[in-house]
Amino acid sequence: QVQLQESGPGLVKPSQTLSLTCTVSNVSITTGGSFWSWIRQTPGKGLEWMGAIYSTDTTYYNPSLKGRISISNDASKNEFVLRLSSVTPEDTAVYYCATKRPPMEALYHYDHWGQGTQVTVSS
């Protein structure tokens, strides 16, 4: 079955770029016609859809992230990577990667989720 696992730093300093990797098992991220997405959860805002990459290089981003977000594939490792620049303490959250088949209508309904990883932004 499809499995996803997030990895990356648990602590990031303000103004730095957060990089998180989602490692995918048992399916190729470059085939199969699926969305590969990042979602985060904070106590105040709840779940927030961040963005997704479809197939090889088609990306979709939440405008609220003000152009700070980038999602890309690393096909050689069967991973997709989230980069969030200029982080602030407001970016402290649990970050999840997830996948679903089209269409991308329900932003919080997915076929498979990772377990999530806590990221704290603090100096």
Side-chain angles (χ1 to χ4, degrees), residues 14-35:
S15 81
Q16 293 188 152
T17 296
L18 169 65
S19 295
L20 294 175
T21 297
C22 184
T23 301
V24 179
S25 300
N26 300 320
V27 66
S28 173
I29 62 174
T30 59
T31 61
S34 296
F35 290 100

Side-chain angles (χ1 to χ4, degrees), residues 54-69:
Y54 180 74
S55 295
T56 302
D57 57 6
T58 303
T59 54
Y60 307 84
Y61 301 132
N62 189 328
S64 69
L65 296 174
K66 302 178 181 179
R68 298 189 295 130
I69 185 173

Side-chain angles (χ1 to χ4, degrees), residues 39-50 62 64-66 68 84 88-95 108:
I39 306 96
R40 65 183 181 181
Q41 183 174 31
T42 63
K45 298 180 180 179
L47 288 173
E48 179 184 28
W49 176 79
M50 301 182 70
N62 189 328
S64 69
L65 296 174
K66 302 178 181 179
R68 298 189 295 130
L84 187 67
T88 73
E90 294 181 346
D91 294 311
T92 295
V94 178
Y95 287 76
Y108 306 105

Side-chain angles (χ1 to χ4, degrees), residues 4 9-11 15 19-20 25 29 38 40 44 46-47 58 67 72 76 82 85 87 100-101 104 108 110 113 122-123:
L4 300 88
L11 179 65
S15 81
S19 295
L20 294 175
S25 300
I29 62 174
W38 286 97
R40 65 183 181 181
L47 288 173
T58 303
S72 60
S76 67
L82 167 71
S85 64
V87 298
K100 70 191 300 183
R101 299 282 295 180
M104 178 65 85
Y108 306 105
Y110 292 89
W113 292 79
S122 176
S123 60

